[in-house]
Amino acid sequence: MKLKTLFFCASALALASCGGPKEPAVVENVVAYTKVGDIGSLMVDAIEITVTNPKSLKGLTAADFDLTNNAPDGFVDPVTGEALKAYEDDGIVVTRKKNVLRIEAKPFNISGLRGKMWRSEPWQLVCSADENLSVNLDKVNDRCISVLDDCIKGEFTYAGLTREYILHLPKDAKGNVIENAPLLVWQIGGGEYDRDLMTAVTANRCVTSLPEAGVPCATLMFAIANPNYYYSASLDPERIKLVDRNNALQMAFIDTLIAEGKVDGSKLFCAGASSGGGCTMRFMMQFPDRFKAAVPCCAMDPIVPIHKVEEKYDGQFIDDLEKAFQDKVYKWDGTDMVLSDIDTKAFCELPMYFVHADSDMTCKVISSHAYYGARERLGAKNDLIQIYDDAYMQEFGIPKMISHFSWVPLLNDYSEGTAMDWLVKQM
C-alpha cells in the first residue's frame, strides 16, 4: 500500500512538472521545399509544418519521424542497376522555430516510389509521437521550388511569334542581381514541345544546374509552343523555317537582355538535348559570331536526315553535313524568314562539346560523330566529344534501355574535363 502511494505521488509530480499530457498538434499549414530533379519530377528535401499550438512541438526529435516510399532520383539504383528502393537511411534532421517544425531529409521524388507497372506508391512522413504531424502529398498546402521561384517568367514577341520564357539572373551574397553576367540559353527536347512553361522547365535541370552548382551565370529557357519537328524534318522547309524562327525570337530576346545590362554579349552560350540538341546546331548556324561556345547533347537531325535512315555509303552523313554547313539557314529580315548564307568560317571557329550516350536508340550516337566529323573536316579545331558508356549512365540512375537521357549526366557532372566543366571555364 505504501509503495503504491509513493508511485502515485511520483507520477503526479512528473505530470505537474511538464504541465500535464502534451496536447496534440493542430496543423495550420504544410509546405514542401523542392528542387528540380533529373527526370521530370520535383525532389522534396524539406517539409515545414506550421501549428497553432507551439507547445505541441516540444521535445520532438528525428527518432519520432519516418519516411516511407521516399525514392531517390533516377530510374534504377546507381550501384546495382536494379529497381529503385526507398532510402534505408532517410537522413532526417528536425529543427523547430516557434510554431514551425522543419523536417529535412535526403531528397526524394515528390511522386513517391515507382512500384509495379511504373505506378507510383505515394510517400508519407509518419510521426510516431503525434499522428497529427503525419503528412503526405495530399496534405501539402504549398510547394517551393529552389531557383525557379526566384526566376523571372514572361512572354516575348518577335518574328510573328509569342513565346513564354523563364529567366534566372544570378545574385551576389547580398541578394543583388549581378549585372552583365554570362548567359546559357537551353533548347528544350521534343518531349517538352507544345507543353506549358513549368512542365518544360521541370523536365530536367536545364535552368537550375548552374545556379545550384554556385556558378554566377544567367540561364534562360523558352517554351516552344509548336509540335516537335521530329525525324528528318530537314526535308520539310516549313518545319525548318519554324525552328529557325523560334531561334530568331530567342536571339532578339537575348539582345534585349544585353541592352539592359543584364547579360554580357561576349559570353553567350547555348546547349540543348535531343530535339534541342538539333536546335542548338541550327541556332549556331544562324548566329555563329554571337556565341562563345555550345553543347549539343544527343542531337537530332534538323540539318540533314540521319535518324530512321541508313547511310547509302560509309561517311554519307558527314558528307551531307559538310555541304549543309556551307549552305543556307533561315533568318528574319523584318518581314519574313528568308534563306541566308551561313558564315561557315565563324561557325567552325565556334567551339562545341558534343555529348551522347553510346547506347542511345532514340537519337543514334552516329549523329554526334557526324556533326563532329563534318566540322573537323571544315576546319574546326576546338571541338570536343564525349560518348557515355552504359556504366557511366547507370551512375546517374539511367539504365541502358533509356540511355537517351544523356542530359542527366551532362547537367550533373562538373568534374575535370566534362562538358559542364569546359563550359564554366569559359565564363
Side-chain angles (χ1 to χ4, degrees), residues 318-367:
I318 293 179
D319 288 347
D320 290 348
L321 285 169
E322 181 183 5
K323 180 179 178 182
F325 291 154
Q326 300 174 84
D327 200 4
K328 298 178 183 293
V329 288
Y330 288 97
K331 292 188 178 182
W332 179 250
D333 70 352
T335 304
D336 197 2
M337 298 298 293
V338 297
L339 285 172
S340 306
D341 290 335
I342 297 170
D343 185 343
T344 303
K345 182 176 182 294
F347 175 69
C348 291
E349 289 175 348
L350 169 69
M352 292 191 184
Y353 199 132
F354 296 92
V355 294
H356 215 125
D358 194 37
S359 296
D360 191 337
M361 296 304 294
T362 303
C363 293
K364 296 180 292 186
V365 70
I366 193 173
S367 65

Short mmCIF file of all heavy atoms in Angstrom, two decimals, residues 318-367:
data_model
loop_
_atom_site.label_atom_id
_atom_site.label_comp_id
_atom_site.label_asym_id
_atom_site.label_seq_id
_atom_site.Cartn_x
_atom_site.Cartn_y
_atom_site.Cartn_z
N ILE A 318 28.47 12.54 -92.91
CA ILE A 318 29.48 13.58 -92.79
C ILE A 318 29.53 14.41 -94.06
O ILE A 318 29.60 15.65 -94.02
CB ILE A 318 30.87 12.97 -92.48
CG1 ILE A 318 30.86 12.34 -91.08
CG2 ILE A 318 31.96 14.03 -92.57
CD1 ILE A 318 32.16 11.69 -90.69
N ASP A 319 29.46 13.74 -95.22
CA ASP A 319 29.45 14.46 -96.49
C ASP A 319 28.24 15.39 -96.59
O ASP A 319 28.37 16.55 -97.01
CB ASP A 319 29.40 13.47 -97.67
CG ASP A 319 30.71 12.72 -97.86
OD1 ASP A 319 31.73 13.14 -97.26
OD2 ASP A 319 30.71 11.71 -98.57
N ASP A 320 27.07 14.89 -96.19
CA ASP A 320 25.85 15.70 -96.27
C ASP A 320 25.93 16.91 -95.34
O ASP A 320 25.50 18.02 -95.71
CB ASP A 320 24.63 14.85 -95.90
CG ASP A 320 24.31 13.79 -96.95
OD1 ASP A 320 24.87 13.86 -98.05
OD2 ASP A 320 23.49 12.88 -96.64
N LEU A 321 26.46 16.69 -94.15
CA LEU A 321 26.57 17.80 -93.20
C LEU A 321 27.62 18.82 -93.66
O LEU A 321 27.43 20.03 -93.48
CB LEU A 321 26.93 17.26 -91.81
CG LEU A 321 25.80 16.60 -91.05
CD1 LEU A 321 26.33 15.87 -89.82
CD2 LEU A 321 24.74 17.62 -90.63
N GLU A 322 28.71 18.35 -94.21
CA GLU A 322 29.74 19.27 -94.70
C GLU A 322 29.13 20.22 -95.74
O GLU A 322 29.39 21.44 -95.72
CB GLU A 322 30.89 18.49 -95.32
CG GLU A 322 32.02 19.39 -95.83
CD GLU A 322 33.13 18.61 -96.52
OE1 GLU A 322 33.00 17.39 -96.70
OE2 GLU A 322 34.15 19.25 -96.88
N LYS A 323 28.29 19.68 -96.61
CA LYS A 323 27.64 20.52 -97.61
C LYS A 323 26.64 21.46 -96.95
O LYS A 323 26.57 22.66 -97.28
CB LYS A 323 26.92 19.62 -98.62
CG LYS A 323 26.21 20.39 -99.73
CD LYS A 323 25.53 19.43 -100.71
CE LYS A 323 24.78 20.20 -101.79
NZ LYS A 323 24.09 19.28 -102.74
N ALA A 324 25.86 20.94 -95.99
CA ALA A 324 24.83 21.76 -95.33
C ALA A 324 25.44 22.91 -94.54
O ALA A 324 24.86 24.01 -94.49
CB ALA A 324 23.99 20.88 -94.41
N PHE A 325 26.59 22.67 -93.93
CA PHE A 325 27.23 23.71 -93.13
C PHE A 325 27.79 24.84 -94.00
O PHE A 325 28.18 25.89 -93.48
CB PHE A 325 28.36 23.12 -92.29
CG PHE A 325 27.89 22.23 -91.16
CD1 PHE A 325 28.71 21.24 -90.66
CD2 PHE A 325 26.64 22.39 -90.61
CE1 PHE A 325 28.29 20.41 -89.62
CE2 PHE A 325 26.20 21.57 -89.57
CZ PHE A 325 27.02 20.58 -89.07
N GLN A 326 27.81 24.64 -95.31
CA GLN A 326 28.26 25.68 -96.23
C GLN A 326 27.10 26.24 -97.06
O GLN A 326 27.31 27.00 -98.00
CB GLN A 326 29.32 25.11 -97.18
CG GLN A 326 30.55 24.59 -96.46
CD GLN A 326 31.52 23.91 -97.41
OE1 GLN A 326 32.35 24.56 -98.06
NE2 GLN A 326 31.43 22.60 -97.50
N ASP A 327 25.89 25.88 -96.64
CA ASP A 327 24.70 26.25 -97.41
C ASP A 327 23.97 27.44 -96.77
O ASP A 327 24.60 28.45 -96.48
CB ASP A 327 23.78 25.03 -97.52
CG ASP A 327 22.79 25.14 -98.66
OD1 ASP A 327 22.84 26.13 -99.41
OD2 ASP A 327 21.94 24.23 -98.80
N LYS A 328 22.69 27.31 -96.51
CA LYS A 328 21.90 28.44 -96.03
C LYS A 328 21.05 28.04 -94.83
O LYS A 328 20.74 26.87 -94.62
CB LYS A 328 20.98 28.96 -97.14
CG LYS A 328 21.72 29.50 -98.37
CD LYS A 328 20.74 29.95 -99.44
CE LYS A 328 21.47 30.41 -100.70
NZ LYS A 328 22.25 31.64 -100.46
N VAL A 329 20.64 29.05 -94.05
CA VAL A 329 19.65 28.91 -92.98
C VAL A 329 18.65 30.05 -93.14
O VAL A 329 18.89 31.00 -93.87
CB VAL A 329 20.29 28.99 -91.56
CG1 VAL A 329 21.07 27.74 -91.25
CG2 VAL A 329 21.15 30.24 -91.42
N TYR A 330 17.53 29.93 -92.42
CA TYR A 330 16.53 31.00 -92.46
C TYR A 330 16.87 32.05 -91.40
O TYR A 330 17.23 31.74 -90.28
CB TYR A 330 15.13 30.43 -92.18
CG TYR A 330 14.57 29.61 -93.31
CD1 TYR A 330 14.67 28.23 -93.30
CD2 TYR A 330 13.95 30.22 -94.40
CE1 TYR A 330 14.16 27.46 -94.33
CE2 TYR A 330 13.43 29.46 -95.44
CZ TYR A 330 13.54 28.08 -95.40
OH TYR A 330 13.04 27.31 -96.43
N LYS A 331 16.72 33.32 -91.80
CA LYS A 331 16.88 34.43 -90.86
C LYS A 331 15.73 35.41 -91.05
O LYS A 331 15.16 35.53 -92.14
CB LYS A 331 18.22 35.14 -91.07
CG LYS A 331 19.44 34.31 -90.69
CD LYS A 331 20.71 35.14 -90.76
CE LYS A 331 21.93 34.33 -90.34
NZ LYS A 331 23.17 35.16 -90.35
N TRP A 332 15.39 36.13 -89.99
CA TRP A 332 14.31 37.10 -90.03
C TRP A 332 14.82 38.39 -90.64
O TRP A 332 15.81 38.96 -90.19
CB TRP A 332 13.79 37.34 -88.61
CG TRP A 332 12.69 38.34 -88.49
CD1 TRP A 332 12.76 39.58 -87.95
CD2 TRP A 332 11.33 38.17 -88.91
NE1 TRP A 332 11.53 40.21 -87.99
CE2 TRP A 332 10.63 39.36 -88.58
CE3 TRP A 332 10.64 37.13 -89.54
CZ2 TRP A 332 9.28 39.53 -88.86
CZ3 TRP A 332 9.28 37.30 -89.81
CH2 TRP A 332 8.61 38.48 -89.48
N ASP A 333 14.14 38.88 -91.69
CA ASP A 333 14.58 40.11 -92.35
C ASP A 333 13.72 41.31 -91.97
O ASP A 333 13.81 42.37 -92.59
CB ASP A 333 14.59 39.93 -93.87
CG ASP A 333 13.20 39.82 -94.48
OD1 ASP A 333 12.21 39.72 -93.70
OD2 ASP A 333 13.06 39.83 -95.72
N GLY A 334 12.89 41.15 -90.94
CA GLY A 334 11.99 42.22 -90.52
C GLY A 334 10.59 42.03 -91.04
O GLY A 334 9.64 42.64 -90.54
N THR A 335 10.45 41.16 -92.05
CA THR A 335 9.13 40.88 -92.63
C THR A 335 8.82 39.40 -92.66
O THR A 335 7.71 38.96 -92.38
CB THR A 335 9.05 41.44 -94.07
OG1 THR A 335 9.35 42.84 -94.04
CG2 THR A 335 7.67 41.25 -94.65
N ASP A 336 9.87 38.61 -92.97
CA ASP A 336 9.66 37.16 -93.10
C ASP A 336 10.98 36.45 -92.84
O ASP A 336 12.05 37.09 -92.77
CB ASP A 336 9.14 36.83 -94.50
CG ASP A 336 8.51 35.44 -94.59
OD1 ASP A 336 8.44 34.76 -93.54
OD2 ASP A 336 8.11 35.05 -95.69
N MET A 337 10.90 35.12 -92.73
CA MET A 337 12.10 34.30 -92.64
C MET A 337 12.59 34.02 -94.05
O MET A 337 11.85 33.47 -94.88
CB MET A 337 11.82 32.99 -91.90
CG MET A 337 11.34 33.15 -90.46
SD MET A 337 12.54 33.95 -89.37
CE MET A 337 13.86 32.73 -89.31
N VAL A 338 13.83 34.41 -94.31
CA VAL A 338 14.37 34.24 -95.66
C VAL A 338 15.68 33.46 -95.58
O VAL A 338 16.41 33.52 -94.59
CB VAL A 338 14.61 35.60 -96.35
CG1 VAL A 338 13.30 36.34 -96.53
CG2 VAL A 338 15.58 36.44 -95.54
N LEU A 339 15.97 32.71 -96.63
CA LEU A 339 17.21 31.95 -96.68
C LEU A 339 18.41 32.88 -96.79
O LEU A 339 18.43 33.80 -97.61
CB LEU A 339 17.19 30.97 -97.86
CG LEU A 339 16.31 29.72 -97.68
CD1 LEU A 339 16.21 28.94 -98.98
CD2 LEU A 339 16.87 28.83 -96.58
N SER A 340 19.41 32.62 -95.94
CA SER A 340 20.61 33.45 -95.91
C SER A 340 21.84 32.55 -95.82
O SER A 340 21.78 31.43 -95.28
CB SER A 340 20.58 34.38 -94.69
OG SER A 340 19.39 35.14 -94.66
N ASP A 341 22.95 33.03 -96.33
CA ASP A 341 24.18 32.25 -96.31
C ASP A 341 24.67 32.03 -94.88
O ASP A 341 24.56 32.90 -94.02
CB ASP A 341 25.28 32.98 -97.10
CG ASP A 341 25.01 32.99 -98.59
OD1 ASP A 341 24.30 32.08 -99.07
OD2 ASP A 341 25.49 33.91 -99.27
N ILE A 342 25.23 30.85 -94.64
CA ILE A 342 25.86 30.55 -93.36
C ILE A 342 27.28 31.10 -93.38
O ILE A 342 27.99 30.96 -94.38
CB ILE A 342 25.90 29.03 -93.12
CG1 ILE A 342 24.49 28.47 -93.02
CG2 ILE A 342 26.67 28.70 -91.84
CD1 ILE A 342 24.44 26.95 -93.02
N ASP A 343 27.70 31.71 -92.29
CA ASP A 343 29.10 32.12 -92.13
C ASP A 343 29.86 30.88 -91.64
O ASP A 343 30.04 30.68 -90.45
CB ASP A 343 29.20 33.26 -91.13
CG ASP A 343 30.62 33.81 -91.02
OD1 ASP A 343 31.58 33.12 -91.45
OD2 ASP A 343 30.79 34.91 -90.45
N THR A 344 30.26 30.05 -92.60
CA THR A 344 30.86 28.76 -92.26
C THR A 344 32.14 28.92 -91.46
O THR A 344 32.41 28.13 -90.54
CB THR A 344 31.14 27.95 -93.54
OG1 THR A 344 29.92 27.80 -94.27
CG2 THR A 344 31.69 26.57 -93.20
N LYS A 345 32.92 29.93 -91.77
CA LYS A 345 34.17 30.15 -91.05
C LYS A 345 33.90 30.42 -89.57
O LYS A 345 34.50 29.80 -88.68
CB LYS A 345 34.94 31.31 -91.67
CG LYS A 345 36.30 31.59 -91.02
CD LYS A 345 37.03 32.70 -91.79
CE LYS A 345 38.42 32.96 -91.19
NZ LYS A 345 38.34 33.51 -89.81
N ALA A 346 32.96 31.34 -89.28
CA ALA A 346 32.63 31.66 -87.90
C ALA A 346 31.99 30.45 -87.21
O ALA A 346 32.24 30.19 -86.03
CB ALA A 346 31.68 32.86 -87.84
N PHE A 347 31.18 29.70 -87.95
CA PHE A 347 30.53 28.52 -87.39
C PHE A 347 31.55 27.49 -86.94
O PHE A 347 31.41 26.88 -85.87
CB PHE A 347 29.59 27.93 -88.45
CG PHE A 347 28.94 26.62 -88.05
CD1 PHE A 347 27.99 26.58 -87.04
CD2 PHE A 347 29.29 25.45 -88.69
CE1 PHE A 347 27.39 25.38 -86.68
CE2 PHE A 347 28.70 24.25 -88.33
CZ PHE A 347 27.75 24.21 -87.33
N CYS A 348 32.59 27.29 -87.72
CA CYS A 348 33.60 26.28 -87.38
C CYS A 348 34.59 26.78 -86.33
O CYS A 348 35.24 25.97 -85.67
CB CYS A 348 34.34 25.83 -88.64
SG CYS A 348 33.28 24.88 -89.75
N GLU A 349 34.71 28.09 -86.19
CA GLU A 349 35.58 28.64 -85.15
C GLU A 349 34.90 28.62 -83.78
O GLU A 349 35.56 28.72 -82.75
CB GLU A 349 36.00 30.07 -85.51
CG GLU A 349 36.98 30.13 -86.67
CD GLU A 349 37.30 31.55 -87.09
OE1 GLU A 349 36.59 32.48 -86.63
OE2 GLU A 349 38.25 31.75 -87.88
N LEU A 350 33.58 28.50 -83.77
CA LEU A 350 32.81 28.44 -82.52
C LEU A 350 33.02 27.07 -81.87
O LEU A 350 32.66 26.05 -82.45
CB LEU A 350 31.33 28.67 -82.82
CG LEU A 350 30.33 28.42 -81.70
CD1 LEU A 350 30.48 29.46 -80.61
CD2 LEU A 350 28.91 28.41 -82.25
N PRO A 351 33.59 27.00 -80.67
CA PRO A 351 33.86 25.70 -80.03
C PRO A 351 32.56 24.99 -79.64
O PRO A 351 31.62 25.61 -79.14
CB PRO A 351 34.67 26.07 -78.78
CG PRO A 351 35.12 27.47 -78.98
CD PRO A 351 34.09 28.11 -79.84
N MET A 352 32.54 23.69 -79.86
CA MET A 352 31.41 22.86 -79.46
C MET A 352 31.90 21.64 -78.71
O MET A 352 32.97 21.10 -79.01
CB MET A 352 30.59 22.42 -80.68
CG MET A 352 29.85 23.52 -81.39
SD MET A 352 28.69 22.86 -82.61
CE MET A 352 28.08 24.38 -83.34
N TYR A 353 31.09 21.22 -77.75
CA TYR A 353 31.38 20.00 -76.99
C TYR A 353 30.17 19.08 -77.16
O TYR A 353 29.10 19.33 -76.61
CB TYR A 353 31.59 20.33 -75.51
CG TYR A 353 32.33 19.26 -74.72
CD1 TYR A 353 33.39 19.61 -73.89
CD2 TYR A 353 31.95 17.93 -74.78
CE1 TYR A 353 34.07 18.65 -73.15
CE2 TYR A 353 32.63 16.96 -74.04
CZ TYR A 353 33.68 17.33 -73.23
OH TYR A 353 34.34 16.38 -72.50
N PHE A 354 30.34 18.02 -77.96
CA PHE A 354 29.25 17.09 -78.23
C PHE A 354 29.23 16.00 -77.16
O PHE A 354 30.28 15.44 -76.81
CB PHE A 354 29.44 16.44 -79.60
CG PHE A 354 29.35 17.41 -80.75
CD1 PHE A 354 30.49 18.03 -81.25
CD2 PHE A 354 28.13 17.71 -81.34
CE1 PHE A 354 30.42 18.93 -82.29
CE2 PHE A 354 28.04 18.60 -82.39
CZ PHE A 354 29.19 19.21 -82.87
N VAL A 355 28.04 15.70 -76.64
CA VAL A 355 27.88 14.60 -75.70
C VAL A 355 26.74 13.71 -76.15
O VAL A 355 25.73 14.19 -76.70
CB VAL A 355 27.64 15.10 -74.25
CG1 VAL A 355 28.84 15.83 -73.72
CG2 VAL A 355 26.41 15.98 -74.16
N HIS A 356 26.90 12.41 -75.92
CA HIS A 356 25.92 11.45 -76.40
C HIS A 356 26.13 10.14 -75.65
O HIS A 356 27.26 9.81 -75.27
CB HIS A 356 26.11 11.21 -77.90
CG HIS A 356 24.85 10.98 -78.66
ND1 HIS A 356 24.50 11.72 -79.76
CD2 HIS A 356 23.84 10.08 -78.49
CE1 HIS A 356 23.34 11.29 -80.24
NE2 HIS A 356 22.92 10.28 -79.47
N ALA A 357 25.07 9.37 -75.44
CA ALA A 357 25.19 8.04 -74.86
C ALA A 357 25.38 7.02 -75.98
O ALA A 357 24.67 7.05 -76.99
CB ALA A 357 23.96 7.70 -74.04
N ASP A 358 26.31 6.13 -75.79
CA ASP A 358 26.65 5.16 -76.82
C ASP A 358 25.47 4.27 -77.20
O ASP A 358 25.33 3.87 -78.35
CB ASP A 358 27.83 4.30 -76.34
CG ASP A 358 28.47 3.51 -77.48
OD1 ASP A 358 28.57 4.05 -78.59
OD2 ASP A 358 28.88 2.36 -77.25
N SER A 359 24.61 3.95 -76.23
CA SER A 359 23.50 3.01 -76.48
C SER A 359 22.19 3.71 -76.82
O SER A 359 21.13 3.06 -76.85
CB SER A 359 23.30 2.11 -75.26
OG SER A 359 24.42 1.29 -75.03
N ASP A 360 22.23 5.01 -77.08
CA ASP A 360 21.03 5.78 -77.38
C ASP A 360 20.34 5.22 -78.62
O ASP A 360 20.93 5.19 -79.70
CB ASP A 360 21.41 7.25 -77.60
CG ASP A 360 20.21 8.18 -77.67
OD1 ASP A 360 19.11 7.72 -77.97
OD2 ASP A 360 20.41 9.38 -77.42
N MET A 361 19.09 4.80 -78.47
CA MET A 361 18.34 4.27 -79.61
C MET A 361 17.31 5.28 -80.13
O MET A 361 16.70 5.06 -81.16
CB MET A 361 17.62 2.97 -79.20
CG MET A 361 18.57 1.84 -78.82
SD MET A 361 19.76 1.45 -80.14
CE MET A 361 18.66 0.80 -81.40
N THR A 362 17.12 6.38 -79.42
CA THR A 362 16.19 7.41 -79.87
C THR A 362 16.87 8.35 -80.85
O THR A 362 16.33 8.67 -81.91
CB THR A 362 15.65 8.21 -78.67
OG1 THR A 362 15.04 7.31 -77.75
CG2 THR A 362 14.64 9.25 -79.11
N CYS A 363 18.05 8.81 -80.49
CA CYS A 363 18.89 9.62 -81.37
C CYS A 363 20.24 8.92 -81.42
O CYS A 363 21.03 9.01 -80.47
CB CYS A 363 19.04 11.04 -80.87
SG CYS A 363 17.51 12.00 -80.92
N LYS A 364 20.52 8.24 -82.51
CA LYS A 364 21.71 7.41 -82.60
C LYS A 364 22.99 8.23 -82.44
O LYS A 364 23.09 9.36 -82.91
CB LYS A 364 21.72 6.65 -83.93
CG LYS A 364 20.58 5.67 -84.10
CD LYS A 364 20.64 4.96 -85.43
CE LYS A 364 20.38 5.90 -86.59
NZ LYS A 364 20.29 5.18 -87.89
N VAL A 365 23.96 7.60 -81.79
CA VAL A 365 25.22 8.29 -81.50
C VAL A 365 25.95 8.69 -82.78
O VAL A 365 26.78 9.61 -82.76
CB VAL A 365 26.11 7.40 -80.60
CG1 VAL A 365 26.63 6.19 -81.38
CG2 VAL A 365 27.26 8.20 -80.00
N ILE A 366 25.60 8.07 -83.88
CA ILE A 366 26.26 8.41 -85.14
C ILE A 366 26.04 9.87 -85.51
O ILE A 366 26.86 10.49 -86.21
CB ILE A 366 25.78 7.48 -86.29
CG1 ILE A 366 26.69 7.63 -87.51
CG2 ILE A 366 24.33 7.76 -86.65
CD1 ILE A 366 26.39 6.63 -88.62
N SER A 367 24.95 10.48 -85.00
CA SER A 367 24.69 11.89 -85.34
C SER A 367 25.77 12.79 -84.75
O SER A 367 26.29 13.68 -85.44
CB SER A 367 23.31 12.32 -84.85
OG SER A 367 23.22 12.28 -83.45
#
